[in-house]
Amino acid sequence: MRERPLVFLVPEAAMAIFCSVCLDIYIKPNLSLLLLSLSLAAAGALINYEKLFTLCCMLAAAFLALTGFSAYRSIFVDPVRMLAGSHAEITATVLQDAVVYDDNQRAELSVNDNTILQRSFRMYCYLPLTETPLYAGDRIKVNVGFYLPGNLEGFDRAAYQASEGCYITASYTKNEDDTPMSFAVLQTENGSPRWIPQRIARFCKQAIEDALPEREAGLLTGLMIGNKDAISSADAISLRIAGLSHLVAVSGLHVGFLVAFCYLLFGRRLGTYLSVPLLLLFVPIAGASPSVIRAAIMYLIAAGAFITKRESDTLNSLFAALALLLMQNPYAIAGLSLQLSFAATLGLVLLAGKMQTRMLRPFHDLPKPLYRLLSFIVGAVSCTICATIFTAPILLSSFGYISILSVLSNLLVVGVTAVCFIAGFLICISSAICPAVLPVLSAITQPPLYYILWVAERISNLPFGMVSWGDGFGLAALFLCFTVILSWLIIGNRIKWKFAMPIVCLCLVILSGLSTYQYQRSYRVTYLPCGTGQAILVSDTTQATLIDCAGDGGYRDAAQMVQEWMRYHNIDHIDTLILTAVDRGHARDLPTLLQTVSVNQILIPVGSKSTKYNSDLLELCEQVDAQEISQTKTLDTGAAPITVFPVADGKMGVQIASEVLILHSPTQKQLAAFLESSSIFASEVVLSQRNMEDDELLTQALDAMGAERIIVQAGFGEVVSEYHGLSVESPYVTGEIVRQFVKE
């Protein structure tokens, strides 16, 4: 410990902060101070006993972190969060270029002048649209209302924004006619040197867009500065499924490219001196995310050691970076960027070198050129595998899936990525000093960028490339693979592999077979998070039925969600689309869906009345020969028997086998009238939130249906978690919900 104290002390401090921030496990400040004092006293008394001294120091680090976190929260966080629910006139500076939406723009602000808190603080704020979007450095004056963002669709916005150093959110105050009560842009085109990185980032983005086609420009912008706005939804999904999304999240990989470029041009010594200021400029240009800050700190420590002719310890540097980030903002521990960056780097530092050495051991006698090529390939494979082992728990808990295609895809693009980064760097420089060479650079850069997109698209189309939480056998197989690799690297010499490997291979074959069998013998009901709209998918390995297709009219686009779902599950068409009502609440995004997705047949309820809100939807249904359902009909979808039945004029219900009953389109009185004359049962009932307004009618209806649980598909405001002893779930709150049932 005395040689590498940060390796022993920082992990305990980080774990203590993680428990406080992410798990809400708090210790009172007085108690943590007392425990800190006792730990330090014990460490002093046991200084001659190395192991006990180390243990006491580790405990002291944890209690010191808890004490510091309590002080940080009391001083910097609680006073800001107390503003929630209040309104104030503020003067603020825009910190990053605003993100523009249809009816507003969101900007990160530094509030400098206000009447309710006598100090500056940062926050995200929704502001009125302006002729030119707000840029970093602009000064504004606006009347806002403060609030704490909620936890919707499984995404804790308050925790995410706190990890960015913003502990409150605001939105501009509106008059009765929806105009801003008070809003003015006080200063634009701020020429202060402070905003040079943001101006450079804006210039680079524009230079790349001018030099390259749209798809290639979007990828290169993400690769260069981490701006993913111009990447199409299809390309973003392909990169995610193929395990290549880290390419457009600026991290240590990009810092390595930048440093290597300096070394290539100027040599090791001069390149080190030049790379330091260049890196300090690159960090804010790339958005100063925890991943790029971590990489920058580690490199600066290594560069300092090289300049002073001392040795640097990579693991110590890693934890030094973590300590600095958490001292600056303890809530950063909740950010996925920090978690994934440090987990991946820890895997590389601890295991990648050892794995590469062991894999190359049998090939030392190869000719040098061939051995170097093999070393490059083995290095890419070992880095990908080791990073995946350490990041898999985070990916599974955060996203519910992990790509097992990343080893193949990263191997195919590892060298090409470096070429693209350097070429992008040259494009940006040439745009500023020598635009005449841009056509040549553009011609050189396009093929490798297209190649990366091509690899991502092809790899993402491979079947069984994702392992999700619902696939128990698949997770077991993945866990077994990781266990074998770790055992080989840590205690490999103690295991008789000629006996162990046949058993491992047999287990993998059995687990893979069971996973495939389970997948083929079951069907899934997926509730997509569409806000006040709804979209439900019933699917097996080859067929899919969609029930309703409506987002909320804002950023939740049901058609886009369905397309993304289809890409993830390798399904190229919808067999049947069932619209339980032809209105904006159930079919708002039907036009977009039919433009982009092949649909074999559409079913709609009989008696749909035309109004000014749904006339276009009814006309579209007529154009595509939608079939009206006037009596109960059972569909043979292959996945599960689906029964559709009229509930009232223009309203239809759906039953999936005997498991799920969908009745979210009728009003509560229509539902009560239907149940008086019909007998229908299901363990899971899907309702809209408006169906839960009349308690007496709903209780009778649920008793009549034998319901065991409720899904509130179209949610808004607060959704209860329990209703008369029945559990209530909603994708509006938890995000996507997936049910798996055995085929009858």
Side-chain angles (χ1 to χ4, degrees):
M1 176 187 145
R2 300 175 196 271
E3 295 179 357
R4 300 194 299 175
L6 296 180
V7 175
F8 290 88
L9 302 180
V10 174
E12 283 66 31
M15 185 59 67
I17 293 173
F18 179 84
C19 291
S20 296
V21 173
C22 301
L23 304 180
D24 291 329
I25 300 175
Y26 294 105
I27 295 179
K28 292 183 178 180
N30 293 337
L31 179 58
S32 61
L33 271 174
L34 175 62
L35 294 173
L36 173 61
S37 302
L38 293 175
S39 300
L40 290 174
L46 299 170
I47 193 169
N48 294 323
Y49 301 90
E50 187 66 26
K51 292 183 179 179
L52 292 176
F53 172 72
T54 301
L55 178 61
C56 291
C57 289
M58 292 164 65
L59 291 173
F63 295 132
L64 177 62
L66 291 174
T67 304
F69 174 74
S70 298
Y72 184 94
R73 186 179 56 181
S74 299
I75 297 171
F76 296 105
V77 180
D78 291 345
V80 175
R81 288 185 169 174
M82 288 178 64
L83 300 178
S86 63
H87 290 258
E89 187 95 1
I90 63 168
T91 302
T93 303
V94 180
L95 297 177
Q96 298 288 343
D97 294 354
V99 179
V100 180
Y101 301 112
D102 291 338
D103 55 356
N104 58 38
Q105 56 184 326
R106 190 193 71 178
E108 184 181 353
L109 304 179
S110 174
V111 180
N112 311 116
D113 185 18
N114 63 90
T115 58
I116 52 178
L117 187 63
Q118 299 304 313
R119 67 175 179 84
S120 63
F121 59 92
R122 292 168 58 192
M123 69 176 186
Y124 285 103
C125 185
Y126 292 88
L127 300 165
L129 292 174
T130 50
E131 289 188 14
T132 302
L134 294 172
Y135 290 138
D138 290 353
R139 297 267 299 165
I140 62 170
K141 188 172 184 178
V142 60
N143 189 288
V144 299
F146 299 98
Y147 65 93
L148 285 173
N151 187 345
L152 298 178
E153 299 175 7
F155 179 55
D156 190 342
R157 286 166 174 77
Y160 165 74
Q161 293 183 11
S163 72
E164 300 286 317
C166 299
Y167 307 113
I168 196 76
T169 305
S171 181
Y172 70 95
T173 308
K174 299 180 182 179
N175 295 314
E176 293 183 359
D177 59 354
D178 284 342
T179 58
M181 178 178 290
S182 170
F183 175 69
V185 179
L186 305 178
Q187 180 184 8
T188 60
E189 299 182 0
N190 193 326
S192 169
R194 177 184 176 185
W195 311 110
I196 288 176
Q198 286 79 7
R199 292 201 295 272
I200 292 175
R202 207 177 304 136
F203 173 82
C204 291
K205 183 175 184 294
Q206 189 61 51
I208 292 170
E209 289 177 352
D210 292 341
L212 297 171
E214 184 177 358
R215 286 185 71 203
E216 287 81 355
L219 176 61
L220 187 57
T221 303
L223 184 64
M224 289 287 297
I225 58 176
N227 188 318
K228 299 181 279 289
D229 295 343
I231 299 177
S232 68
S233 175
D235 286 336
I237 295 171
S238 295
L239 291 168
R240 211 173 299 144
I241 297 174
L244 293 174
S245 55
H246 64 92
L247 296 181
V248 292
V250 180
S251 60
L253 179 69
H254 305 76
V255 170
F257 291 156
L258 184 63
V259 172
F261 184 55
C262 291
Y263 287 177
L264 182 65
L265 290 180
F266 305 106
R268 176 69 189 273
R269 176 163 294 277
L270 184 57
T272 300
Y273 285 102
L274 293 177
S275 63
V276 171
L278 193 60
L279 183 58
L280 293 175
L281 180 63
F282 176 72
V283 169
I285 289 175
S289 65
S291 58
V292 72
I293 293 175
R294 186 270 311 160
I297 292 173
M298 291 184 68
Y299 174 72
L300 291 174
I301 293 174
F306 174 77
I307 293 171
T308 58
K309 297 182 180 180
R310 297 182 180 180
E311 290 188 9
S312 66
D313 184 275
T314 307
L315 201 56
N316 223 35
S317 301
L318 175 65
F319 288 117
L322 179 59
L324 289 173
L325 282 168
L326 294 182
M327 288 170 64
Q328 189 267 334
N329 177 20
Y331 286 84
I333 195 73
L336 277 179
S337 175
L338 182 142
Q339 293 176 11
L340 291 172
S341 175
F342 279 89
T345 307
L346 189 61
L348 297 180
V349 172
L350 294 179
L351 300 178
K354 186 181 292 187
M355 185 174 186
Q356 184 177 6
T357 301
R358 293 205 173 190
M359 291 177 71
L360 288 172
R361 189 174 295 166
F363 305 101
H364 279 301
D365 296 332
L366 290 176
K368 271 193 174 181
L370 189 59
Y371 184 79
R372 287 179 179 175
L373 175 62
L374 185 61
S375 298
F376 178 77
I377 296 173
V378 169
V381 171
S382 59
C383 287
T384 303
I385 291 175
C386 294
T388 302
I389 290 174
F390 277 69
T391 57
I394 301 172
L395 292 171
L396 283 169
S397 62
S398 301
F399 302 108
Y401 67 86
I402 183 173
S403 172
I404 58 176
L405 301 170
S406 57
V407 175
L408 175 60
S409 56
N410 279 278
L411 181 61
L412 292 174
V413 305
V414 61
V416 181
T417 307
V419 173
C420 292
F421 183 88
I422 294 172
F425 192 72
L426 294 175
I427 285 176
C428 296
I429 294 175
S430 300
S431 296
I433 62 176
C434 187
V437 302
L438 280 177
V440 177
L441 290 174
S442 176
I444 294 173
T445 310
Q446 286 184 47
L449 288 169
Y450 177 79
Y451 170 76
I452 294 175
L453 294 170
W454 180 84
V455 167
E457 186 176 355
R458 293 297 180 271
I459 296 292
S460 66
N461 287 330
L462 294 176
F464 306 109
M466 309 283 285
V467 178
S468 65
W469 268 125
D471 184 5
F473 293 116
L475 286 177
L478 189 65
F479 177 77
L480 179 59
C481 288
F482 289 166
T483 302
V484 169
I485 293 171
L486 290 173
S487 300
W488 174 56
L489 294 175
I490 298 171
I491 55 172
N493 296 331
R494 304 177 189 176
I495 299 175
K496 296 183 178 180
W497 291 104
K498 63 181 180 180
F499 299 112
M501 284 309 297
I503 298 174
V504 170
C505 292
L506 179 61
C507 292
L508 287 176
V509 170
I510 292 173
L511 289 171
S512 300
L514 289 172
S515 177
T516 303
Y517 177 79
Q518 182 188 52
Y519 197 74
Q520 292 177 341
R521 292 293 302 163
S522 62
Y523 66 92
R524 286 148 293 283
V525 179
T526 304
Y527 304 92
L528 298 180
C530 299
T532 55
Q534 45 253 317
I536 303 170
L537 285 143
V538 185
S539 63
D540 61 5
T541 54
T542 58
Q543 295 182 312
T545 298
L546 175 61
I547 303 169
D548 291 334
C549 184
D552 60 2
Y555 70 89
R556 299 179 183 91
D557 187 323
Q560 182 177 337
M561 291 182 183
V562 170
Q563 291 177 66
E564 291 182 6
W565 180 91
M566 292 173 68
R567 282 295 311 279
Y568 277 113
H569 294 82
N570 282 316
I571 290 177
D572 58 3
H573 71 281
I574 298 294
D575 295 281
T576 305
L577 169 60
I578 302 170
L579 298 178
T580 59
V582 186
D583 56 31
R584 293 188 180 180
H586 301 81
R588 181 192 303 272
D589 298 317
L590 175 64
T592 306
L593 181 77
L594 295 182
Q595 289 174 4
T596 54
V597 175
S598 173
V599 179
N600 290 350
Q601 66 170 341
I602 300 176
L603 307 181
I604 62 174
V606 70
S608 298
K609 297 180 180 179
S610 178
T611 68
K612 64 178 182 179
Y613 300 109
N614 73 342
S615 58
D616 56 335
L617 297 172
L618 285 172
E619 290 175 6
L620 180 59
C621 289
E622 290 179 8
Q623 292 173 10
V624 297
D625 297 325
Q627 178 184 348
E628 291 189 336
I629 299 299
S630 57
Q631 58 184 1
T632 301
K633 180 179 180 179
T634 301
L635 310 175
D636 183 14
T637 64
I642 297 178
T643 302
V644 293
F645 50 88
V647 176
D649 286 343
K651 307 288 185 181
M652 187 161 62
V654 181
Q655 184 169 22
I656 304 168
S658 58
E659 304 289 349
V660 181
L661 182 60
I662 300 171
L663 292 168
H664 58 200
S665 63
T667 64
Q668 203 154 17
K669 290 184 178 179
Q670 289 174 333
L671 181 59
F674 169 77
L675 292 174
E676 285 181 2
S677 58
S678 303
S679 179
I680 194 165
F681 302 93
S683 57
E684 184 164 284
V685 179
V686 183
L687 303 169
S688 65
Q689 198 162 352
R690 66 181 181 180
N691 293 138
M692 306 182 73
E693 294 172 356
D694 191 321
D695 188 74
E696 184 177 351
L697 283 176
L698 181 58
T699 303
Q700 294 175 358
L702 293 172
D703 289 340
M705 291 182 282
E708 298 177 3
R709 55 188 178 273
I710 301 171
I711 296 289
V712 177
Q713 174 65 11
F716 53 88
E718 286 193 24
V719 179
V720 298
S721 60
E722 187 179 0
Y723 184 85
H724 290 271
L726 301 178
S727 65
V728 179
E729 294 182 67
S730 174
Y732 177 72
V733 176
T734 62
E736 181 178 292
I737 298 174
V738 181
R739 298 279 193 255
Q740 184 166 294
F741 303 100
V742 178
K743 290 183 178 180
E744 296 179 353

